[in-house]
Amino acid sequence: MSLYTQRGVSAQKEEVHQAIKKLDKGLYEFAFCKMYPDFIGGDNAYINIIHADGAGTKSILAYLYWKETGDINVWKGIAQDAVAMNLDDLLCVGVYDNLLFSSTIDRNKTLIPGEVLEQVISGTQEFFDELKKFGVNIHYLGGETADVGDVVRTIAVNGTMMARWEKNKIITNEKIKAGDVIVGFASDGQATYESEYNSGIGSNGLTSARHDVLNKFYAKIFPETFEPSLKDEIVYIGKNKLTDSIQLQTTNYKPQTNIGKLILSPTRTYAPLMKVLLEEHFTNIHGVIHCSGGGQTKCMKYLPQPLKIIKDNLFEPPAIFKLIQENSGADEREMYQVFNMGHRLEIFTDEASAQKIIDVANEFNIAAKVVGRVEASDKKELILKVNDKEIIY
């Protein structure tokens, strides 16, 4: 049993999928997000979409960093995480503008004061203000903030995003076919709309990142940050503290940072990039996948037919993932199933259009390249080539 499973989390969410298997799959079975008829407007030319997601256990890391350093600004990154995890899922079905957002914040009031709530709420609006500069308009319609200390150990930051969108502008993944290539967009680096280096970790696999990298010191000082029934040998088993310095070796520069900032890098949104791609290259986009929960295996859930996916030109894993793997000893199979490992967004397109899409990404200083291809098959299969080895899912 993997450490991830032992800690009570699942990359594939098998039990969740079992629980919802009888629910309506929406208008398009293979789309990345469920879409429904236009119940609000009653227009057959539109769809309605509503989506919920959040920052997950990354908020626990923010809590630890805030308690250790006093840096309350770290909570604004958690606000961005909750938004980006919703927004970037909706980007995958072609929705990028005129969105509504409602936040849901559950806190333990004895540990999380009003100042933290203020940072999360104001950080959400500041992120929306920044996105508006790129023509991505999100309307903040308030939400629910509840004091539920008997339920939540520290704080949970989530949100719900909704839109009404034209049917002829959506992506359903039904066009993914043999002969397509897969363009991957780097999760790390510093995009033109980011203020500092982004480690690329996003908001998935943070339970592993926290326990595998951080020292047992945190278990002793902050017992409120983990489930007490977990065995001691899987709780905070790493060698680092959040304030440990780290020198990164990146392509163009060598930023100096610490472990905490690396793990807490706010989830990159690809919205400014995707707005351009969806407006200028929509007809050439056959499918879009957000490599979130499930990492590089995520695409398998949205294939419209039996196909073989081969990813044999993946990005070099960013430093954060190497740090996690060195501390945990996890093998490549688990790492690529839990984390994005270098690209968090991928577009399925025809070979002739790939370079044009890559060129647009480069304008935003986002590295992009063809990471794989689609081949005909009699079953759904994924092959990753990692360090001259093949991993088959």
Side-chain angles (χ1 to χ4, degrees):
M1 186 184 296
S2 71
L3 287 173
Y4 205 59
T5 302
Q6 291 181 64
R7 290 170 181 146
V9 284
S10 169
Q12 300 299 318
K13 298 183 179 179
E14 295 90 348
E15 292 184 354
V16 175
H17 293 297
Q18 177 67 22
I20 65 173
K21 69 178 183 179
K22 294 181 180 179
L23 295 182
D24 185 350
K25 295 187 182 340
L27 295 172
Y28 309 99
E29 181 179 357
F30 303 105
F32 196 83
C33 299
K34 287 184 182 180
M35 290 174 277
Y36 295 94
D38 183 23
F39 298 121
I40 294 175
D43 190 335
N44 193 47
Y46 284 77
I47 57 92
N48 292 165
I49 185 167
I50 188 165
H51 193 65
D53 211 326
T57 62
K58 201 169 183 177
S59 61
I60 300 174
L61 279 155
Y63 173 80
L64 290 172
Y65 194 80
W66 167 60
K67 295 293 283 187
E68 187 170 357
T69 68
D71 183 2
I72 201 167
N73 287 319
V74 71
W75 291 106
K76 291 187 177 182
I78 296 299
Q80 178 170 326
D81 293 321
V83 172
M85 291 301 288
N86 275 287
L87 177 57
D88 284 34
D89 279 359
L90 294 186
L91 296 175
C92 293
V93 296
V95 178
Y96 61 86
D97 194 17
N98 203 26
L99 297 138
L100 310 181
F101 184 78
S102 175
S103 63
T104 304
I105 304 171
D106 293 332
R107 68 161 175 166
N108 183 334
K109 188 178 180 181
T110 63
L111 296 174
I112 305 296
E115 294 90 332
V116 169
L117 292 180
E118 185 179 351
Q119 290 294 309
V120 173
I121 293 169
S122 63
T124 301
Q125 186 60 60
E126 288 171 16
F127 188 42
F128 292 158
D129 293 342
E130 186 64 27
L131 288 171
K132 189 174 183 178
K133 298 175 184 177
F134 298 91
V136 178
N137 296 285
I138 305 175
H139 310 284
Y140 197 5
L141 304 189
E144 162 73 352
T145 300
D147 295 334
V148 287
D150 287 336
V151 178
V152 178
R153 292 182 176 280
T154 53
I155 187 171
V157 181
N158 302 296
T160 303
M161 196 168 276
M162 181 267 177
R164 181 173 178 263
W165 202 253
E166 293 177 66
K167 260 186 187 175
N168 63 0
K169 293 182 179 179
I170 60 174
I171 295 168
T172 66
N173 290 334
E174 293 170 346
K175 294 181 179 179
I176 296 176
K177 64 183 188 303
D180 281 351
V181 297
I182 306 167
V183 177
F185 301 87
S187 56
D188 70 320
Q190 186 173 343
T192 55
Y193 50 87
E194 293 175 321
S195 60
E196 59 185 353
Y197 171 79
N198 196 312
S199 72
I201 195 167
S203 291
N204 296 102
L206 272 300
T207 298
S208 282
R210 178 163 48 94
H211 284 297
D212 291 339
V213 173
L214 299 184
N215 189 275
K216 194 71 73 178
F217 159 84
Y218 293 99
K220 297 175 182 177
I221 306 300
F222 303 107
E224 66 271 26
T225 63
F226 66 94
E227 166 55 46
S229 66
L230 294 180
K231 296 178 180 178
D232 184 68
E233 59 264 30
I234 63 172
V235 173
Y236 292 115
I237 61 175
K239 60 185 179 181
N240 295 110
K241 293 187 70 174
L242 290 166
T243 51
D244 289 350
S245 295
I246 184 169
Q247 182 78 48
L248 300 176
Q249 301 295 322
T250 61
T251 304
N252 300 319
Y253 58 113
K254 299 178 180 179
Q256 178 79 28
T257 186
N258 62 35
I259 299 294
K261 288 185 177 180
L262 204 64
I263 300 177
L264 282 163
S265 285
T267 303
R268 165 179 290 174
T269 178
Y270 293 92
L273 165 64
M274 283 298 292
K275 179 181 187 292
V276 175
L277 293 178
L278 289 166
E279 289 180 344
E280 298 181 2
H281 301 280
F282 176 80
T283 57
N284 303 119
I285 297 175
H286 300 165
V288 188
I289 300 297
H290 183 196
C291 304
S292 48
Q296 289 303 320
T297 71
K298 189 80 169 186
C299 58
M300 297 298 287
K301 296 178 181 177
Y302 304 98
L303 299 180
Q305 56 185 303
L307 292 166
K308 179 186 288 186
I309 306 298
I310 301 172
K311 299 182 186 180
D312 55 2
N313 188 37
L314 293 163
F315 286 89
E316 176 75 14
I320 183 62
F321 303 119
K322 293 178 180 179
L323 179 69
I324 293 168
Q325 188 170 18
E326 287 170 3
N327 275 274
S328 68
D331 61 17
E332 274 86 5
R333 183 178 186 84
E334 180 172 355
M335 291 294 294
Y336 279 84
Q337 196 169 341
V338 172
F339 300 100
N340 69 69
M341 298 301 286
H343 79 265
R344 222 188 72 243
L345 185 77
E346 54 191 27
I347 287 179
F348 291 71
T349 186
D350 59 275
E351 192 170 3
S353 301
Q355 189 57 52
K356 295 177 183 178
I357 290 172
I358 291 169
D359 290 343
V360 175
N362 290 338
E363 291 175 9
F364 287 94
N365 199 35
I366 296 174
K369 65 178 181 176
V370 173
V371 297
R373 60 190 184 277
V374 183
E375 293 185 355
S377 178
D378 58 359
K379 63 179 180 180
K380 293 183 179 182
E381 185 177 16
L382 170 65
I383 300 174
L384 303 182
K385 189 172 182 180
V386 180
N387 296 327
D388 296 323
K389 296 184 297 184
E390 286 190 348
I391 306 172
I392 302 175
Y393 297 91

